[in-house]
Amino acid sequence: MGDDRGRAAKQPEGDLVIRTIAMPADTNPAGDIFGGWLMAQMDLAAGNLAAARSRGRNATVAVDGMQFLRPVKVGDEVTLYARLQSAGRTSMKIRVEAWARNRFETESFPVTEALFVFVALDEDGQPRALPDL
C-alpha cells in the first residue's frame, strides 16, 4: 500500500456495473470495511455480467487472485467494473476491479481486483452451453 498522489493512476477497465456506499454495518473490528463485504459486492458485479452473457442462471465456481491494496473506509463510494475476459463452452472468466473514492474527494483509487469464474446453469442446476453471441 502506497500513496498514489502525484502519480498518474491507472484507469479502471471494464463496464461500470455497481456503485454503492460503504456503510458502518459493513465494518470489521478495526473499523474498516470488511473484506468479505467487498468480495460479495464483486461477486454481484461479476454475476450481473455473467447473467447478461449467458442469458440465464449461473454459479460462481472460483475466485482467483484477490489482493487488498488499500482499506475501504465508512462512507467511501465503491465502484465495481467488470469485463468478460474469456468464455468457453459453459464457463466464463470475468475480471472485476473495485475502486473507492472518499466522499469528500474527487479522485478514485484501486482497492482490489479478482478473476471470477462462472458456469452457466440450466433449470436443473446442470452446466449448459453459452448461447452464441
Side-chain angles (χ1 to χ4, degrees), residues 5-71:
R5 284 178 266 181
R7 289 193 290 157
K10 76 171 200 156
Q11 294 299 307
E13 294 181 17
D15 295 327
L16 190 158
V17 181
I18 293 175
R19 180 171 280 154
T20 189
I21 304 295
M23 299 299 288
D26 305 317
T27 58
N28 63 25
D32 295 324
I33 296 302
F34 180 54
W37 176 85
L38 186 55
M39 187 173 183
Q41 297 300 309
M42 293 172 74
D43 192 32
L44 287 170
N48 232 3
L49 187 59
R53 170 58 184 93
S54 71
R55 297 187 188 109
R57 184 177 171 198
N58 301 279
T60 308
V61 296
V63 179
D64 187 29
M66 183 172 263
Q67 177 182 6
F68 294 98
L69 306 173
R70 296 172 79 158

Side-chain angles (χ1 to χ4, degrees), residues 73-91:
K73 303 292 187 182
V74 171
D76 283 356
E77 176 186 87
V78 176
T79 306
L80 301 162
Y81 300 87
R83 69 183 181 281
L84 182 66
Q85 187 164 306
S86 65
R89 192 180 75 75
T90 64
S91 66

